[in-house]
Short mmCIF file of all heavy atoms in Angstrom, two decimals:
data_model
loop_
_atom_site.label_atom_id
_atom_site.label_comp_id
_atom_site.label_asym_id
_atom_site.label_seq_id
_atom_site.Cartn_x
_atom_site.Cartn_y
_atom_site.Cartn_z
N THR A 33 15.68 91.85 153.97
CA THR A 33 14.77 90.78 154.16
C THR A 33 14.54 89.76 153.15
O THR A 33 14.11 88.67 153.34
CB THR A 33 13.38 91.54 154.54
OG1 THR A 33 12.95 92.24 153.37
CG2 THR A 33 13.53 92.33 155.76
N ARG A 34 14.65 90.20 151.81
CA ARG A 34 14.31 89.23 150.79
C ARG A 34 15.51 88.80 149.83
O ARG A 34 15.39 87.84 149.11
CB ARG A 34 13.12 89.76 149.96
CG ARG A 34 11.86 89.87 150.56
CD ARG A 34 10.76 89.92 149.66
NE ARG A 34 10.90 91.14 148.78
CZ ARG A 34 10.24 92.30 149.03
NH1 ARG A 34 9.49 92.40 150.11
NH2 ARG A 34 10.43 93.30 148.20
N ALA A 35 16.61 89.55 149.96
CA ALA A 35 17.67 89.31 149.01
C ALA A 35 18.43 88.07 149.53
O ALA A 35 18.55 87.92 150.81
CB ALA A 35 18.67 90.52 148.99
N THR A 36 18.91 87.26 148.65
CA THR A 36 19.77 86.11 148.94
C THR A 36 21.11 86.22 148.27
O THR A 36 21.13 86.39 147.01
CB THR A 36 19.10 84.80 148.49
OG1 THR A 36 17.77 84.70 149.01
CG2 THR A 36 19.90 83.57 148.88
N ALA A 37 22.15 86.11 149.03
CA ALA A 37 23.54 86.19 148.34
C ALA A 37 23.77 84.98 147.61
O ALA A 37 23.39 83.78 148.01
CB ALA A 37 24.52 86.30 149.53
N GLN A 38 24.58 85.12 146.59
CA GLN A 38 25.00 83.99 145.80
C GLN A 38 26.10 83.18 146.52
O GLN A 38 26.91 83.75 147.08
CB GLN A 38 25.59 84.53 144.39
CG GLN A 38 26.18 83.50 143.55
CD GLN A 38 26.67 84.01 142.19
OE1 GLN A 38 26.13 84.73 141.55
NE2 GLN A 38 27.88 83.47 141.81
N ASP A 39 25.88 81.90 146.39
CA ASP A 39 26.95 80.95 146.88
C ASP A 39 28.01 80.87 145.93
O ASP A 39 27.98 80.16 144.91
CB ASP A 39 26.24 79.55 147.15
CG ASP A 39 27.33 78.57 147.62
OD1 ASP A 39 28.40 78.94 147.98
OD2 ASP A 39 26.89 77.46 147.89
N ASP A 40 29.12 81.56 146.21
CA ASP A 40 30.26 81.59 145.23
C ASP A 40 30.93 80.12 145.02
O ASP A 40 31.53 79.92 144.03
CB ASP A 40 31.39 82.51 145.73
CG ASP A 40 30.92 84.03 145.64
OD1 ASP A 40 30.06 84.25 144.69
OD2 ASP A 40 31.38 84.85 146.42
N ALA A 41 30.83 79.27 146.01
CA ALA A 41 31.35 77.89 145.86
C ALA A 41 30.46 77.07 144.85
O ALA A 41 31.09 76.17 144.25
CB ALA A 41 31.30 77.28 147.24
N ALA A 42 29.28 77.51 144.64
CA ALA A 42 28.50 76.76 143.71
C ALA A 42 28.53 77.38 142.28
O ALA A 42 27.95 76.80 141.34
CB ALA A 42 26.94 76.73 144.26
N ALA A 43 28.98 78.53 142.19
CA ALA A 43 29.16 79.28 140.94
C ALA A 43 30.20 78.72 140.01
O ALA A 43 31.13 78.18 140.45
CB ALA A 43 29.36 80.68 141.13
N CYS A 44 29.98 78.68 138.69
CA CYS A 44 30.94 78.18 137.67
C CYS A 44 31.17 79.08 136.68
O CYS A 44 30.18 79.92 136.40
CB CYS A 44 30.58 76.80 137.23
SG CYS A 44 29.05 76.81 136.22
N ALA A 45 32.34 79.28 136.23
CA ALA A 45 32.67 80.19 134.99
C ALA A 45 32.64 79.43 133.76
O ALA A 45 33.02 78.25 133.70
CB ALA A 45 33.99 80.75 135.31
N ALA A 46 32.22 80.09 132.79
CA ALA A 46 32.20 79.49 131.49
C ALA A 46 33.09 80.42 130.54
O ALA A 46 33.13 81.60 130.69
CB ALA A 46 30.82 79.48 130.83
N PRO A 47 33.76 79.70 129.56
CA PRO A 47 34.64 80.61 128.61
C PRO A 47 33.76 81.51 127.76
O PRO A 47 32.63 81.08 127.49
CB PRO A 47 35.50 79.54 127.91
CG PRO A 47 34.55 78.26 127.89
CD PRO A 47 33.87 78.36 129.29
#
Side-chain angles (χ1 to χ4, degrees):
T33 58
R34 291 197 304 264
T36 305
Q38 176 177 314
D39 179 2
D40 290 334
C44 62

